[in-house]
Amino acid sequence: MSTFNFHGDINGPANIGDHGRIEINHGADAAQSLRLAAELVDRLRTENPPLVAQAEVVRGELARAGQDGAAPDRGRVRSALETISVGVAAGSGGLALAQELSRVLGL
């Protein structure tokens, strides 16, 4: 089940109110997502070095998107995070970071 944070008034065919807007927020801004990706790279360097390249893909894609002012390539990021999730040990910090990134990016 997905959850969405609604901020402000809601307006539309099923909602009553003036100046309504719906804002879907997954809980993190671009800078926080980039910090999580950098932390994932650092964590995997110690926990699982073969997966560092996949973490670098995530960090690079988020950095590129931030510089260009565009959305990251969600398919590329999702694929890299799934590879990391399969390759790290259950209960590890790397898995927790990969899952958190997936959550905040809405993947």
Side-chain angles (χ1 to χ4, degrees):
M1 181 172 120
S2 296
T3 59
F4 300 98
N5 299 320
F6 294 97
H7 302 285
D9 298 324
I10 311 269
N11 191 6
N15 301 304
I16 299 171
D18 293 330
H19 306 93
R21 68 185 172 90
I22 298 174
E23 178 181 327
I24 299 175
N25 182 344
H26 294 287
D29 60 6
Q32 184 180 359
S33 297
L34 193 54
R35 282 191 300 274
L36 284 171
E39 189 176 338
L40 179 62
V41 170
D42 292 339
R43 177 66 62 118
L44 289 178
R45 280 195 179 114
T46 59
E47 284 183 6
N48 201 327
L51 292 174
V52 170
Q54 293 299 313
E56 289 285 1
V57 166
V58 174
R59 182 171 67 175
E61 187 60 33
L62 293 175
R64 183 206 55 81
Q67 290 171 350
D68 295 346
D73 182 337
R74 294 173 59 84
R76 191 164 187 227
V77 171
R78 180 184 296 117
S79 176
L81 289 173
E82 287 174 354
T83 300
I84 292 168
S85 295
V86 169
V88 294
S92 69
L95 179 60
L97 285 167
Q99 290 173 335
E100 180 65 7
L101 268 168
S102 291
R103 186 192 69 76
V104 299
L105 295 172
L107 300 176

